[in-house]
PDB file of all heavy atoms in Angstrom:
ATOM      1  N   THR D  20     114.372  84.542 122.645  1.00  0.00           N
ATOM      2  CA  THR D  20     113.847  85.776 122.059  1.00  0.00           C
ATOM      3  C   THR D  20     114.882  86.379 121.131  1.00  0.00           C
ATOM      4  O   THR D  20     116.036  86.569 121.498  1.00  0.00           O
ATOM      5  CB  THR D  20     113.491  86.806 123.149  1.00  0.00           C
ATOM      6  OG1 THR D  20     112.507  86.248 124.017  1.00  0.00           O
ATOM      7  CG2 THR D  20     112.941  88.077 122.512  1.00  0.00           C
ATOM      8  N   SER D  58     101.825  81.458 116.492  1.00  0.00           N
ATOM      9  CA  SER D  58     101.737  80.255 115.679  1.00  0.00           C
ATOM     10  C   SER D  58     102.436  79.153 116.440  1.00  0.00           C
ATOM     11  O   SER D  58     103.661  79.091 116.501  1.00  0.00           O
ATOM     12  CB  SER D  58     102.402  80.472 114.310  1.00  0.00           C
ATOM     13  OG  SER D  58     102.383  79.270 113.565  1.00  0.00           O
ATOM     14  N   ARG D  60     104.338  77.425 119.034  1.00  0.00           N
ATOM     15  CA  ARG D  60     105.237  77.925 120.084  1.00  0.00           C
ATOM     16  C   ARG D  60     105.893  79.250 119.709  1.00  0.00           C
ATOM     17  O   ARG D  60     106.744  79.759 120.437  1.00  0.00           O
ATOM     18  CB  ARG D  60     106.320  76.874 120.360  1.00  0.00           C
ATOM     19  CG  ARG D  60     105.792  75.590 121.000  1.00  0.00           C
ATOM     20  CD  ARG D  60     106.918  74.619 121.342  1.00  0.00           C
ATOM     21  NE  ARG D  60     107.618  74.147 120.157  1.00  0.00           N
ATOM     22  CZ  ARG D  60     108.881  74.444 119.863  1.00  0.00           C
ATOM     23  NH1 ARG D  60     109.586  75.226 120.666  1.00  0.00           N
ATOM     24  NH2 ARG D  60     109.443  73.966 118.775  1.00  0.00           N
ATOM     25  N   LEU D  61     105.499  79.796 118.595  1.00  0.00           N
ATOM     26  CA  LEU D  61     106.083  81.054 118.148  1.00  0.00           C
ATOM     27  C   LEU D  61     105.175  82.226 118.478  1.00  0.00           C
ATOM     28  O   LEU D  61     103.954  82.147 118.333  1.00  0.00           O
ATOM     29  CB  LEU D  61     106.302  81.030 116.631  1.00  0.00           C
ATOM     30  CG  LEU D  61     107.120  79.885 116.060  1.00  0.00           C
ATOM     31  CD1 LEU D  61     107.214  80.034 114.547  1.00  0.00           C
ATOM     32  CD2 LEU D  61     108.503  79.845 116.680  1.00  0.00           C
ATOM     33  N   VAL D  63     105.260  86.405 117.640  1.00  0.00           N
ATOM     34  CA  VAL D  63     105.936  87.526 116.989  1.00  0.00           C
ATOM     35  C   VAL D  63     105.241  88.815 117.389  1.00  0.00           C
ATOM     36  O   VAL D  63     104.016  88.880 117.438  1.00  0.00           O
ATOM     37  CB  VAL D  63     105.912  87.372 115.449  1.00  0.00           C
ATOM     38  CG1 VAL D  63     106.348  88.655 114.779  1.00  0.00           C
ATOM     39  CG2 VAL D  63     106.789  86.222 115.024  1.00  0.00           C
ATOM     40  N   SER D  68     106.367 101.832 115.448  1.00  0.00           N
ATOM     41  CA  SER D  68     106.907 103.129 115.885  1.00  0.00           C
ATOM     42  C   SER D  68     108.396 103.027 116.161  1.00  0.00           C
ATOM     43  O   SER D  68     109.143 103.981 115.951  1.00  0.00           O
ATOM     44  CB  SER D  68     106.178 103.610 117.137  1.00  0.00           C
ATOM     45  OG  SER D  68     106.437 102.756 118.233  1.00  0.00           O
ATOM     46  N   SER D  73     110.015  91.213 117.278  1.00  0.00           N
ATOM     47  CA  SER D  73     110.674  90.175 118.055  1.00  0.00           C
ATOM     48  C   SER D  73     110.017  88.838 117.772  1.00  0.00           C
ATOM     49  O   SER D  73     108.819  88.761 117.483  1.00  0.00           O
ATOM     50  CB  SER D  73     110.613  90.487 119.554  1.00  0.00           C
ATOM     51  OG  SER D  73     109.275  90.394 120.018  1.00  0.00           O
ATOM     52  N   PHE D  88     115.969  84.409 110.528  1.00  0.00           N
ATOM     53  CA  PHE D  88     116.104  85.677 109.794  1.00  0.00           C
ATOM     54  C   PHE D  88     114.772  86.401 109.765  1.00  0.00           C
ATOM     55  O   PHE D  88     113.717  85.783 109.586  1.00  0.00           O
ATOM     56  CB  PHE D  88     116.516  85.425 108.348  1.00  0.00           C
ATOM     57  CG  PHE D  88     117.866  84.791 108.180  1.00  0.00           C
ATOM     58  CD1 PHE D  88     118.001  83.422 108.138  1.00  0.00           C
ATOM     59  CD2 PHE D  88     118.999  85.586 108.050  1.00  0.00           C
ATOM     60  CE1 PHE D  88     119.248  82.833 107.974  1.00  0.00           C
ATOM     61  CE2 PHE D  88     120.252  85.006 107.882  1.00  0.00           C
ATOM     62  CZ  PHE D  88     120.372  83.640 107.852  1.00  0.00           C
ATOM     63  N   SER D  99     113.148  94.949  95.076  1.00  0.00           N
ATOM     64  CA  SER D  99     112.181  94.198  94.278  1.00  0.00           C
ATOM     65  C   SER D  99     111.825  92.885  94.935  1.00  0.00           C
ATOM     66  O   SER D  99     110.922  92.201  94.497  1.00  0.00           O
ATOM     67  CB  SER D  99     112.764  93.922  92.884  1.00  0.00           C
ATOM     68  OG  SER D  99     113.916  93.115  92.994  1.00  0.00           O
ATOM     69  N   LYS D 105     120.686  89.902 109.041  1.00  0.00           N
ATOM     70  CA  LYS D 105     121.880  89.071 109.162  1.00  0.00           C
ATOM     71  C   LYS D 105     121.614  87.761 109.889  1.00  0.00           C
ATOM     72  O   LYS D 105     122.400  86.825 109.804  1.00  0.00           O
ATOM     73  CB  LYS D 105     122.979  89.843 109.874  1.00  0.00           C
ATOM     74  CG  LYS D 105     123.487  91.024 109.069  1.00  0.00           C
ATOM     75  CD  LYS D 105     124.603  91.749 109.797  1.00  0.00           C
ATOM     76  CE  LYS D 105     125.094  92.919 108.962  1.00  0.00           C
ATOM     77  NZ  LYS D 105     126.151  93.688 109.663  1.00  0.00           N
ATOM     78  N   LEU D 110     121.193  78.122 119.293  1.00  0.00           N
ATOM     79  CA  LEU D 110     121.632  76.782 119.663  1.00  0.00           C
ATOM     80  C   LEU D 110     120.872  76.365 120.905  1.00  0.00           C
ATOM     81  O   LEU D 110     120.959  77.033 121.940  1.00  0.00           O
ATOM     82  CB  LEU D 110     123.140  76.756 119.935  1.00  0.00           C
ATOM     83  CG  LEU D 110     123.700  75.444 120.483  1.00  0.00           C
ATOM     84  CD1 LEU D 110     123.517  74.318 119.470  1.00  0.00           C
ATOM     85  CD2 LEU D 110     125.172  75.587 120.852  1.00  0.00           C
ATOM     86  N   SER D 112     120.530  73.433 123.538  1.00  0.00           N
ATOM     87  CA  SER D 112     121.217  72.228 124.032  1.00  0.00           C
ATOM     88  C   SER D 112     120.259  71.352 124.824  1.00  0.00           C
ATOM     89  O   SER D 112     119.440  71.851 125.582  1.00  0.00           O
ATOM     90  CB  SER D 112     122.391  72.633 124.939  1.00  0.00           C
ATOM     91  OG  SER D 112     123.293  73.455 124.231  1.00  0.00           O
TER      92      SER D 112
END
Side-chain angles (χ1 to χ4, degrees):
Chain D
T20 300
S58 176
R60 293 184 296 113
L61 305 180
V63 168
S68 66
S73 68
F88 296 90
S99 63
K105 294 181 180 178
L110 173 63
S112 302

